[in-house]
Amino acid sequence: MEFVLNPFSITLLLSGLLVGALSLYIIFKVEGPIRWIAITMLCASIWGFFYGLELSVSAKETMMVFVKLQYLGIAFIGAFWIIFSLKYTSYKSKNYGLLISLILFIPILTYLIVLTNEQHDVFYTSFEVVNLGPFPTAKIETGPWYYINMAYIYFAFACGNLIIWKRFRFSDQLFKTQTRLMLLAGLFPLIFNIFYQSHIFRPFQVIDLTPFAFLLSYLIIGFAILNYQLFNIKPIARNKIMEAITKGVLVLDSETKIVDFNPAFLDFANSSKEVKVTVKAEIIFKSRVDILELISLGKANIIESKFQLQEKIKIFQIEAIPLVGRKSANNGLVLLFDDITEQKTITEKLETQALELQQLNDLKDKYFSIISHDLKGPIFGVKELIHMTNSGLVSQEEFMEMLPEVSRNMEQVALLLENLLAWSSSQLKGGEVVQIQEFDIHNTLIQQKSILERIASEKKIEILIDPQAKSTAMADKNMVELVVRNLINNAIKFSKRGSKIKISTHDELGLVIICIEDRGKGMSDLSLKKIKSGISFTTTGQNNESGTGLGLILVKEYIHKNNGQLEVTSEEGKGSKFCIKLPAAALRNNP
């Protein structure tokens, strides 16, 4: 057997061997549907290699042997392409095995017909060697099955390309790029085959350029698979993961240039138009000193930063993750942006609720102490006084001397008991029912003054009412009475002997305002802050009168329930002024 090599045969032999080696390497090293495109490549390499050998010999018998070996690749190349397309697009079917059998039926039958052609001449009717060019070539007169085989190959490639195109035509850019490459790999060789079959382009009359085109296409695809992971799920998965991550991801290189980012990061950027690959982080975050410092450190760290986005203040947690390479070299930085605005709001609410709950528990403990001490002491004292009077241990004259003090204590007990009952009612499930009604605030002030005037007279304190308001109030009358009674009682408690307490009213923009002012001890800034925060506290009066801290808690709560406001001003040593603002109903008929 004599081989005479020429440029065509050498090109086919070398490229066939190279594509074949690449195909076998991919088949054994790469998993998944990529193996099937490698098998298709192997078919092309078999075709090209033995076609190169066919072009290197001149004996008819030897050429026929190489032609039959070529059809190991030619017959199956279309079938394996369509199987690859089904595998790559994850096609599922209950009759998948039957489908594969049908796909392989014609290629197997074709190869059997080629092997036995001498007995039936179905594939080709004649085979001869011609010398129409610089070297001998085979001239074949084709039979009917030759065209059936060609039609099948065209049909297989068309079906495979259609399956791939329909699966990925609306996918992301990476899938589209790979789809175009695959379609090109399938169409490019077929175009050359059409030129050959239609006699449009036939060098030396009988040289088929189709295997050259297949080998060139698959040589490029083979190197792309190995070097760039073409058709690999990893880059596709990376893209999908980046798109699915709700956190903003920004990847910077060692020079703080943007290498990659996900769509979610654009929501964190003030100007998404500036966010581009190779743009430096200093441009994106030019007004964010805290983020630039985080980047400049180049170390693992977490900061919180506030952003003004779409007229809203957002709080972001920004985590820096260094990309450390070999020998601990810093190759860049990954920044993760997480919107924690809602989380921070919830945390602050929980902290506030925990604080309020703790204050409520403290208040509850304090009220149990009040019940066991402030109520129990005076009541048991009266009980003991009555018992001693009945037993003759205390005379009637002594009892009458102690009676004013007992009466004063019982009035304080009555107010304390009323406050306790009111507070207990407010703590029940559903709270108290607020019964809004229209009433004359001046009558309420006069009534409460008369109740507390006797206590005031014992300290020579004068209570003055200056009624300037002409509006009636819209509120729960009982609650307002309790508020006024507590505030007047506090004013008496902290006023100096012989001083005056001024109660005034006036109208202001739909409100009726009640102010109770004394010239007593006054309050510190700390006490004022506690009142505004609703924290219970107690202080002793001018004559060391004790208190419970319950009154002001109820005052603040009841005013709030009646859609009112409480304003407190005080100065130590000069006195305090409490102003209640309630919704006004209408002008009074009587001045």
Side-chain angles (χ1 to χ4, degrees):
M1 185 183 299
E2 183 181 356
F3 290 93
V4 179
L5 298 177
N6 56 73
F8 289 97
S9 63
I10 292 172
T11 303
L12 288 170
L13 290 171
L14 292 178
S15 57
L17 287 172
L18 184 56
V19 172
L22 281 172
S23 305
L24 292 172
Y25 181 83
I26 293 170
I27 289 170
F28 289 108
K29 290 293 184 180
V30 181
E31 297 181 355
I34 308 304
R35 284 180 172 176
W36 288 95
I37 198 172
I39 294 173
T40 308
M41 290 167 56
L42 184 62
C43 290
S45 69
I46 292 171
W47 181 5
F49 179 77
F50 287 111
Y51 187 44
L53 290 177
E54 178 193 333
L55 296 178
S56 302
V57 298
S58 57
K60 177 181 176 180
E61 292 76 12
T62 309
M63 284 185 180
M64 289 186 66
V65 171
F66 291 142
V67 167
K68 291 178 180 180
L69 291 173
Q70 287 174 55
Y71 272 90
L72 276 172
I74 296 172
F76 290 93
I77 193 169
F80 288 136
W81 177 261
I82 198 170
I83 291 173
F84 160 71
S85 66
L86 294 173
K87 293 283 187 179
Y88 187 68
T89 55
S90 302
Y91 176 81
K92 301 292 183 184
S93 173
K94 293 181 180 178
N95 300 316
Y96 188 75
L98 177 61
L99 178 61
I100 298 299
S101 300
L102 291 174
I103 291 171
L104 293 174
F105 174 73
I106 290 181
I108 293 172
L109 183 58
T110 296
Y111 193 66
L112 292 174
I113 290 173
V114 170
L115 291 178
T116 61
N117 188 74
E118 286 79 2
Q119 284 77 41
H120 46 69
D121 294 334
V122 172
F123 198 83
Y124 53 88
T125 57
S126 67
F127 186 101
E128 59 181 308
V129 179
V130 297
N131 292 284
L132 299 177
F135 50 86
T137 56
K139 182 180 179 181
I140 300 175
E141 294 295 333
T142 56
W145 196 264
Y146 175 88
Y147 296 103
I148 293 173
N149 177 63
M150 290 303 302
Y152 174 79
I153 292 174
Y154 283 129
F155 174 77
F157 271 93
C159 283
N161 289 347
L162 182 63
I163 291 168
I164 294 169
W165 178 75
K166 288 186 69 175
R167 172 65 178 83
F168 298 119
R169 58 177 171 163
F170 298 120
S171 60
D172 58 41
Q173 189 57 44
L174 183 60
F175 276 110
K176 287 181 179 178
T177 301
Q178 294 189 168
T179 301
R180 293 190 189 105
L181 286 171
M182 283 185 287
L183 296 177
L184 186 61
L187 291 174
F188 180 70
L190 294 182
I191 292 171
F192 276 84
N193 187 260
I194 292 171
F195 288 163
Y196 174 75
Q197 297 295 338
S198 60
H199 297 267
I200 294 175
F201 184 66
R202 277 196 173 193
F204 306 107
Q205 297 299 316
V206 290
I207 295 178
D208 187 359
L209 294 180
T210 309
F212 290 90
F214 267 114
L215 290 173
L216 178 61
S217 296
Y218 291 152
L219 191 63
I220 295 171
I221 288 177
F223 280 112
I225 290 172
L226 295 178
N227 290 341
Y228 305 108
Q229 294 185 320
L230 187 66
F231 311 135
N232 198 314
I233 196 63
K234 290 181 180 178
I236 297 171
R238 186 208 69 83
N239 269 20
K240 290 299 180 185
I241 291 170
M242 287 285 278
E243 290 176 6
I245 293 174
T246 55
K247 291 184 179 181
V249 180
L250 180 66
V251 184
L252 305 175
D253 64 12
S254 58
E255 297 179 354
T256 72
K257 291 180 181 179
I258 296 177
V259 176
D260 199 1
F261 58 90
N262 69 337
F265 173 72
L266 298 177
D267 297 333
F268 299 89
N270 288 323
S271 178
S272 58
K273 295 180 180 179
E274 294 181 351
V275 182
K276 297 177 182 178
V277 175
T278 72
V279 173
K280 298 204 75 171
E282 287 78 359
I283 296 175
I284 305 299
F285 304 113
K286 53 190 172 186
S287 60
R288 307 298 313 200
V289 178
D290 52 347
I291 299 177
L292 292 177
E293 288 180 355
L294 178 67
I295 294 171
S296 63
L297 287 174
K299 298 179 181 179
N301 198 6
I302 298 176
I303 64 169
E304 289 184 6
S305 183
K306 290 185 178 180
F307 282 67
Q308 178 78 33
L309 295 177
Q310 298 178 352
E311 299 181 356
K312 292 183 179 179
I313 299 294
K314 295 281 189 177
I315 303 173
F316 294 115
Q317 179 178 280
I318 306 172
E319 181 178 3
I321 305 172
L323 298 174
V324 180
R326 295 179 180 178
K327 299 181 181 179
S328 300
N330 194 340
N331 294 330
L333 201 67
V334 176
L335 296 181
L336 301 180
F337 292 75
D338 189 12
D339 185 351
I340 59 171
T341 308
E342 186 175 352
Q343 179 184 336
K344 291 285 287 186
T345 302
I346 293 172
T347 301
E348 289 173 0
K349 284 182 179 179
L350 290 174
E351 289 175 352
T352 302
Q353 290 173 355
L355 180 61
E356 290 174 351
L357 183 60
Q358 183 60 47
Q359 291 175 355
L360 189 61
N361 284 334
D362 294 342
L363 196 59
K364 176 198 68 177
D365 295 340
K366 184 174 183 179
Y367 293 162
F368 283 132
S369 175
I370 291 170
I371 293 171
S372 64
H373 181 268
D374 294 79
L375 282 179
K376 179 181 177 182
I379 292 173
F380 271 66
V382 171
K383 175 187 174 185
E384 188 64 24
L385 179 62
I386 294 172
H387 172 72
M388 291 173 67
T389 303
N390 288 336
S391 302
L393 297 175
V394 174
S395 65
Q396 187 175 356
E397 291 78 11
E398 290 173 327
F399 177 79
M400 293 304 293
E401 288 178 1
M402 289 186 286
L403 191 58
E405 180 68 23
V406 171
S407 177
R408 185 166 57 252
N409 289 339
M410 292 308 296
E411 285 176 356
Q412 293 295 333
V413 168
L415 181 59
L416 173 59
L417 184 59
E418 185 180 25
N419 286 340
L420 276 172
L421 291 173
W423 177 81
S424 299
S425 177
S426 69
Q427 302 307 305
L428 293 175
K429 186 176 182 180
E432 294 175 283
V433 178
V434 180
Q435 298 178 340
I436 302 295
Q437 64 186 72
E438 181 181 352
F439 64 94
D440 190 336
I441 194 65
H442 295 117
N443 291 337
T444 298
L445 294 177
I446 292 169
Q447 181 186 17
Q448 298 308 311
K449 173 188 173 182
S450 63
I451 292 174
L452 297 169
E453 201 160 28
R454 190 175 59 79
I455 299 175
S457 64
E458 290 182 359
K459 293 180 68 173
K460 306 297 182 183
I461 294 173
E462 184 180 0
I463 301 175
L464 303 175
I465 298 179
D466 180 17
Q468 297 294 323
K470 296 182 180 181
S471 302
T472 54
M474 283 295 292
D476 188 307
K477 186 172 181 290
N478 292 328
M479 288 185 175
V480 173
E481 287 177 351
L482 184 62
V483 167
V484 171
R485 190 155 56 250
N486 271 288
L487 292 179
I488 295 175
N489 185 65
N490 273 358
I492 295 170
K493 175 181 171 182
F494 293 105
S495 292
K496 298 177 182 178
R497 188 176 183 83
S499 62
K500 295 180 180 180
I501 295 173
K502 181 181 178 181
I503 305 175
S504 61
T505 66
H506 63 277
D507 298 311
E508 183 182 293
L509 297 175
L511 299 173
V512 58
I513 300 176
I514 310 160
C515 292
I516 300 171
E517 186 176 2
D518 65 65
R519 292 289 181 265
K521 292 175 65 175
M523 290 182 288
S524 65
D525 291 339
L526 180 59
S527 297
L528 288 173
K529 287 181 181 178
K530 288 181 178 180
I531 291 175
K532 291 178 181 178
S533 302
I535 299 173
S536 173
F537 69 98
T538 60
T539 53
T540 57
Q542 286 283 358
N543 297 334
N544 293 321
E545 298 99 328
S546 62
T548 63
L550 180 59
L552 286 179
I553 295 291
L554 281 171
V555 166
K556 188 175 176 64
E557 184 176 335
Y558 276 9
I559 291 174
H560 176 72
K561 285 184 176 181
N562 284 275
N563 301 314
Q565 301 173 40
L566 176 65
E567 292 183 356
V568 185
T569 56
S570 184
E571 188 176 348
E572 287 188 283
K574 293 187 177 181
S576 302
K577 184 177 181 179
F578 289 79
C579 289
I580 309 163
K581 295 183 179 181
L582 295 173
L587 295 176
R588 292 186 297 159
N589 294 324
N590 298 321

